[in-house]
Amino acid sequence: MTLDDLRVFVAVCRAGSLSAVARDLGCTQSAVSQHVKRLERESGASLLERQPRGVVPTAAGRILCEAAADGIAGLDLALRRLGDLVDGDGGSVRVTTGGTTVQHFMAEAIVSFRHRYPKVSLEFRTETSSRDCFDALLSSDLDLAWITVAGSVRGIEQRPVFDLPWVLAARADDPLAARAHIEVSDLADSHLVRLPPNSTSGGLLEEAFRELGVGAGSNTSVADWDTALLLAELGLGHAVVPAVPGLPAATENGPLRLVPIPSLPPLSVGWAVRRWDALSPPARAFADIVARGTAAEPVLAGDVPQSRR
């Protein structure tokens, strides 16, 4: 068996599809199948089970996939570190994260990092959820993933950086916008603009609502926090979002207010890596610079004079 056989097999197990992996690799489905068949001959075991909507690993396949994934991740890290040694102070730092994370958490850090490491390239790969970031981190040569922290993940080390309080985004002319803070029960009759429940942050918010016994309605779903804010500003509903750095300031004459919801547990966000001790010095430096960053905090409703109070 070859390293390519193992890489392809791990990719098939994660994608659940031979054809999807073939498209990603730019080869035929038959070529992907040959990699798997070679592993089956070498191991003497059936590794994949065909189902109507794709393939899933057998019990033997799961054992091989987990071992191969761990080994490939370690080898990729070693190759990256060797490359950094050859390049001296050059090389690259590869980061996977959501579409708006760079704007909210990393803009100032990128400038600082560039001054400190002018020869190191920064590469960003956008994913739609923390779960996708984990998969990308495990299956490629990425260094860092910026994720929502929510439970352990096999083969991943997580380091929380910020705990973000939740706020309600409401139009300035909305009755709730005049409050210094609100309770979750105040949202029982609201129509919320929500993140998809399959996103980590959206799932945590839904769980918090259930634990507090509140079932707010929703007829609008968005893929990111910035879009939720825009729809709230347009009057399509309230949006419950974490108070990420760089949210639009709630000025007295502005269209939007951000009202704290103290009863909701904060959202923890931070870094995920395969192994902290295997990070290159530039990758570790970038992670530290982001963690030390002090972007401007959003102006909440309680900070703005309200003539209606």
Side-chain angles (χ1 to χ4, degrees), residues 222-247:
V222 296
D224 60 78
W225 301 324
D226 287 350
T227 304
L229 289 171
L230 174 61
L231 296 185
E233 183 177 327
L234 294 174
L236 297 184
H238 299 113
V240 177
V241 299
V244 297
L247 286 183

Side-chain angles (χ1 to χ4, degrees), residues 81-286:
R81 296 194 72 181
L82 288 174
D84 291 337
L85 289 175
V86 172
D87 293 338
D89 57 354
S92 62
V93 176
R94 298 180 175 90
V95 182
T96 180
T97 185
T100 62
T101 299
V102 173
Q103 172 189 346
H104 290 298
F105 294 100
M106 302 181 189
E108 294 180 6
I110 289 171
V111 176
S112 177
F113 181 83
R114 178 58 58 234
H115 286 306
R116 184 173 172 183
Y117 295 92
K119 296 182 180 180
V120 177
S121 67
L122 275 173
E123 302 174 15
F124 293 93
R125 173 173 167 178
T126 301
E127 298 291 350
T128 57
S129 69
S130 293
R131 189 176 298 107
D132 290 340
C133 287
F134 290 136
D135 289 343
L137 190 63
L138 287 169
S139 62
S140 66
D141 60 353
L142 293 164
D143 298 293
L144 299 156
W146 184 265
I147 48 88
T148 299
V149 178
S152 62
V153 178
R154 189 179 186 279
I156 295 287
E157 297 180 25
Q158 300 180 59
R159 182 171 295 178
V161 176
F162 299 118
D163 284 328
L164 305 173
W166 292 92
V167 297
L168 177 75
R171 283 176 57 90
D173 57 0
D174 188 283
L176 293 178
R179 301 189 184 185
H181 68 274
I182 63 171
E183 301 297 331
V184 175
S185 57
D186 296 329
L187 304 177
D189 297 325
S190 296
H191 290 285
L192 297 181
V193 178
R194 283 183 172 169
L195 293 174
N198 61 344
S199 69
T200 304
S201 55
L204 290 172
L205 183 60
E206 294 286 343
E207 181 180 349
F209 275 127
R210 286 194 298 270
E211 290 180 354
L212 293 170
V214 175
S218 176
N219 53 13
T220 308
S221 179
V222 296
D224 60 78
W225 301 324
D226 287 350
T227 304
L229 289 171
L230 174 61
L231 296 185
E233 183 177 327
L234 294 174
L236 297 184
H238 299 113
V240 177
V241 299
V244 297
L247 286 183
T251 60
E252 184 174 5
N253 297 321
L256 203 62
R257 297 288 184 271
L258 303 176
V259 188
I261 313 175
S263 58
L264 285 176
L267 186 72
S268 182
V269 297
W271 288 117
V273 301
R274 287 171 290 192
R275 285 178 51 194
W276 282 103
D277 60 2
L279 282 179
S280 67
R284 189 181 307 232
F286 182 72

